[in-house]
Amino acid sequence: FFKAFQANPRLDIVIRTLTKSAVEIIHFLIVFTTIFFCFSSAAYVVFGKAIKGFKDQYQAMFMCWRILMGEFEIDDMELVNYYYTSIWMVAFQFMVLLILLNMLLAIIMDTYVAAKQEAGEPSEQLTIWTQIKDACYTVKETQGHIGLYTLLLQLQDEDKPIHPAKVVTSKTLRRAFGRTMKRHQADYIIRRTVEWMKANAGSCDVGLSDTVRLLSILKVNVLRNVEDTQRVLDVLMSEKNASQKARFDAILNDEDPELVAPMDIGGGTNIAQLPKKAGIPRSAPQP
């Protein structure tokens, strides 16, 4: 639900404030609940028999919350015991209202200031009404275009990309997609791409989804290379086994049809291995 607010930088500041301060707020609530429970228990013991709002522990906690929000009748409490009421009310207002609630506001405000500084200059952040205006203009301008998801699927196809060339122009896009892409859409894609590259020049913004996608592409390419290498090794091994089998068959038939490549023995004299019969030794010619 909150991911939709990340599209606007000003709304994203509020969301990041809540998410980053969540841990501190949880620890704060542990302390706040303990202290609040102690004050409600004291009110239940002192005022429970005389005031209906404090007749049990549950209603006492609810009544303390109403007092914290400013809704209470102190006259009924003073009729029970004036001194206990004064001590309880001053301690409750000072400890819970003045200290704990202001501490909660300080936690949230510190996180908000840090998130606002990370977002950059406020003048560079789009307001929600400006973004809505730009979105309406984009919808009107891209009317009749091919869907971006369809374009991404066809351009990022690992087996057969529709535009394999690295250099992309308006003409190459229209030539790749044919009649399905109009000239206005091709010009629009090139123009918006150039604007995005100029706006993000010198920055590297790689998110988790981009990292996962790159790793998956790398894994696919590595597996393909492994399969191709294994296929080549199988072919080489089969050829080697075939030649060895032919040689062994020839040896068993008392023949060796294989010729050894000539070897230079120093003075320009070469010795070639001749076909031999079984039992006839090979000898080199006398110099």
Side-chain angles (χ1 to χ4, degrees), residues 187-200:
D187 296 339
Y188 173 80
I189 292 174
I190 297 299
R191 176 170 55 84
R192 293 303 297 268
T193 303
V194 172
E195 292 176 357
W196 184 88
M197 293 179 65
K198 290 182 179 180
N200 295 273

Side-chain angles (χ1 to χ4, degrees), residues 1 3 7-8 31 50 60-61 70 87 90 94 120 136 139 147 164 175 177 179 182-183 196 228 263 269 286:
F1 176 74
K3 289 184 178 180
N8 184 270
V31 179
M61 294 183 66
I87 295 173
V90 171
F94 178 78
C136 294
V139 171
R175 189 181 301 114
F177 286 92
R179 296 182 179 179
K182 300 179 181 179
R183 181 176 181 179
W196 184 88
D228 295 339
M263 296 182 297
T269 305
Q286 295 297 328

Side-chain angles (χ1 to χ4, degrees), residues 5-238:
F5 294 148
Q6 296 178 359
N8 184 270
R10 296 178 182 269
L11 295 179
D12 187 42
I13 293 175
V14 180
I15 300 304
R16 282 190 293 172
T17 301
L18 295 177
T19 54
K20 290 183 178 181
S21 62
V23 177
E24 286 78 6
I25 291 176
I26 291 174
H27 288 81
F28 168 81
L29 288 177
I30 295 174
V31 179
F32 178 83
T33 304
T34 303
I35 297 176
F36 190 81
F37 180 79
C38 293
F39 275 101
S40 64
S41 299
Y44 164 66
V45 173
V46 176
F47 310 111
K49 295 181 179 180
I51 301 177
K52 184 179 180 181
F54 296 98
K55 68 178 182 180
D56 55 30
Q57 183 65 48
Y58 174 76
Q59 291 191 4
M61 294 183 66
F62 184 70
M63 191 65 186
C64 289
W65 180 259
R66 291 174 60 185
I67 294 174
L68 185 62
M69 296 294 105
E71 182 184 353
F72 59 92
E73 291 292 339
I74 195 173
D75 296 335
D76 297 337
M77 300 171 64
E78 289 178 347
L79 291 176
V80 178
N81 193 306
Y82 178 81
Y83 296 103
Y84 285 164
T85 300
S86 301
I87 295 173
W88 185 91
M89 185 64 67
V90 171
F92 182 79
Q93 294 288 339
F94 178 78
M95 190 67 186
V96 180
L97 179 63
L98 297 180
I99 295 181
L100 292 181
L101 286 186
N102 285 287
M103 188 181 298
L104 177 62
L105 292 177
I107 292 173
I108 296 176
M109 289 304 299
D110 289 342
T111 310
Y112 176 79
V113 171
K116 194 172 182 179
Q117 291 178 352
E118 292 177 0
E121 293 294 332
S123 59
E124 299 178 358
Q125 300 171 5
L126 293 177
T127 57
I128 187 63
W129 43 86
T130 303
Q131 196 170 18
I132 293 175
K133 179 182 177 181
D134 294 342
C136 294
Y137 178 76
T138 303
V139 171
K140 182 180 179 181
E141 190 177 11
T142 58
Q143 189 174 3
H145 289 186
I146 303 174
L148 293 179
Y149 184 71
T150 304
L151 289 177
L152 288 176
L153 289 179
Q154 296 181 4
L155 291 173
Q156 297 179 355
D157 191 354
E158 298 176 0
D159 296 329
K160 190 177 180 182
I162 195 170
H163 194 291
K166 295 182 179 180
V167 179
V168 183
T169 61
S170 178
K171 292 182 179 180
T172 58
L173 279 177
R174 284 185 284 128
R175 189 181 301 114
F177 286 92
R179 296 182 179 179
T180 57
M181 178 177 288
K182 300 179 181 179
R183 181 176 181 179
H184 180 267
Q185 183 175 6
D187 296 339
Y188 173 80
I189 292 174
I190 297 299
R191 176 170 55 84
R192 293 303 297 268
T193 303
V194 172
E195 292 176 357
W196 184 88
M197 293 179 65
K198 290 182 179 180
N200 295 273
S203 63
C204 181
D205 188 10
V206 180
L208 180 60
S209 59
D210 298 329
T211 305
V212 172
R213 184 171 60 85
L214 292 175
L215 290 176
S216 62
I217 294 175
L218 179 62
K219 180 180 178 181
V220 171
N221 293 330
V222 170
L223 291 178
R224 285 181 178 176
N225 292 332
V226 171
E227 292 177 358
D228 295 339
T229 305
Q230 187 64 38
R231 194 178 299 110
V232 172
L233 289 176
D234 293 340
V235 173
L236 294 176
M237 291 299 296
S238 62

Side-chain angles (χ1 to χ4, degrees), residues 235-251:
V235 173
L236 294 176
M237 291 299 296
S238 62
E239 293 179 355
K240 181 179 179 180
N241 294 334
S243 62
Q244 290 180 353
K245 183 178 180 182
R247 180 179 176 86
F248 292 154
D249 293 340
I251 293 175

